[in-house]
């Protein structure tokens, strides 16, 4: 993540310049590890950031007890805007790319999810002293197949899928309404963090239907 100096990450992420730098750093880290190269539409990035910020402010809770879960929800909102706007495009894919690996199966989607997970992780660690974040498996291509297919039907479900990728019970019926997120249950899993790329493991399996 970019240097926030003395500013908390939860506030820095609401600044366009910081957000753009975070996106570029994530692209650089992912490209180094996978060999996938991306181009980014700066105008789309700018527009989606403003839409996300408006959505973020609209439902922000005042109660302290709800702020931790709002970090999860706000990260899901960010993923939705990234999926909707598609600011990143693959320009180079390695010849030996294994499409059973989610990073190659859907490189753009993988980039967006990892970016949002990393921002979420930084805020949770700084504000709530949560160092071992609970996240589900990221290397199960059947999960990603379901995720990608559902985005064609309803991009709002990106919020529910982000919960799934975060180890939280998704709210599939009303994913865009924060007040509907009651009794979110966090699964006990673990995280391995490498630079700005998340590698996670769990027992969740989704199959094609």
């Amino acid at each position: 993540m970019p240097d926030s100096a003395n500013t908390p990450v939860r506030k820095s992420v609401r600044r366009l310049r910081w957000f753009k730098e975070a996106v570029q750093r994530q692209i650089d880290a992912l490209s180094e590890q996978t060999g996938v190269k991306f181009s980014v539409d700066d105008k789309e990035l700018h527009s989606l950031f403003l839409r996300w910020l408006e959505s973020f402010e609209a439902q922000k809770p005042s109660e302290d007890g709800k702020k931790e879960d709002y970090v999860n929800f706000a990260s899901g909102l960010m993923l939705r805007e990234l999926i909707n706007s598609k600011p990143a495009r693959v320009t180079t894919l390695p010849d030996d790319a294994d499409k059973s690996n989610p990073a190659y199966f859907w490189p753009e989607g993988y980039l967006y999810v990892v970016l949002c997970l990393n921002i979420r992780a930084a805020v949770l660690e700084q504000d709530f002293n949560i160092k071992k974040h609970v996240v589900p498996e990221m290397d199960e291509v059947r999960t990603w197949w379901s995720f990608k297919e559902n985005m064609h039907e309803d991009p709002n479900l990106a919020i529910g899928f982000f919960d799934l990728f975060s180890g939280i019970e998704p709210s599939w019926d009303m994913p865009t309404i924060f007040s509907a997120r009651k009794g979110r249950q966090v699964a006990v899993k673990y995280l391995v963090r490498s630079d700005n790329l998340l590698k996670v493991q769990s027992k969740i399996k989704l199959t094609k239907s």
Side-chain angles (χ1 to χ4, degrees):
M1 293 293 102
D3 183 11
S4 297
N6 295 322
T7 305
V9 176
R10 59 181 158 80
K11 292 187 177 180
S12 295
V13 71
R14 286 175 263 174
R15 297 175 179 174
L16 178 61
R17 180 178 296 180
W18 188 96
F19 175 70
K20 286 184 175 181
E21 185 177 348
V23 172
Q24 189 57 57
R25 288 194 180 199
Q26 189 62 75
I27 288 174
D28 292 344
L30 191 57
S31 295
E32 182 178 353
Q33 295 193 35
T34 66
V36 179
K37 304 298 182 183
F38 300 88
S39 64
V40 177
D41 186 323
D42 192 66
K43 290 183 178 180
E44 286 291 350
L45 206 60
H46 189 158
S47 296
L48 77 86
F49 173 80
L50 294 179
R51 288 194 299 273
W52 170 77
L53 188 59
E54 182 178 3
S55 298
F56 173 88
E57 295 291 349
Q59 299 190 58
K60 186 169 63 174
S62 57
E63 301 94 328
D64 288 343
K66 295 183 179 180
K67 290 183 178 180
E68 181 181 333
D69 190 40
Y70 198 69
V71 175
N72 302 317
F73 179 70
S75 301
L77 289 175
M78 181 178 289
L79 178 60
R80 179 189 66 177
E81 296 303 333
L82 287 162
I83 294 291
N84 267 328
S85 298
K86 303 177 179 64
R89 296 287 187 277
V90 172
T91 58
T92 302
L93 194 68
D95 293 336
D96 59 349
D98 179 2
K99 294 298 183 67
S100 67
N101 182 330
Y104 299 120
F105 170 74
W106 188 16
E108 296 93 342
Y110 192 80
L111 167 67
Y112 302 150
V113 170
V114 171
L115 169 68
C116 294
L117 283 173
N118 273 314
I119 292 175
R120 168 185 176 269
V123 176
L124 289 177
E125 182 172 345
Q126 187 176 77
D127 287 6
F128 301 97
N129 198 30
I130 299 175
K131 297 182 179 180
K132 291 186 177 180
H133 310 300
V134 282
V135 292
E137 193 168 37
M138 288 280 286
D139 60 1
E140 176 51 69
V141 73
R142 287 173 293 181
T143 305
W144 285 86
W145 183 92
S146 297
F147 178 32
K148 188 175 183 180
E149 288 299 305
N150 276 280
M151 291 307 94
H152 295 305
E153 300 295 328
D154 184 3
N156 286 324
L157 291 177
I159 300 169
F161 273 95
F162 185 80
D163 283 340
L164 188 65
F165 287 134
S166 302
I168 301 170
E169 181 184 350
S171 175
W172 298 115
D173 293 335
M174 296 183 288
T176 62
I177 302 175
F178 179 67
S179 61
R181 295 168 64 88
K182 296 180 180 179
R184 300 294 95 196
Q185 296 297 317
V186 179
V188 179
K189 303 179 180 72
Y190 64 91
L191 163 71
V192 178
R193 190 170 182 177
S194 173
D195 296 324
N196 285 327
L197 180 65
L198 294 178
K199 297 179 180 179
V200 297
Q201 296 181 339
S202 78
K203 297 180 180 179
I204 289 179
K205 303 291 182 183
L206 294 185
T207 58
K208 295 182 182 180
S209 59

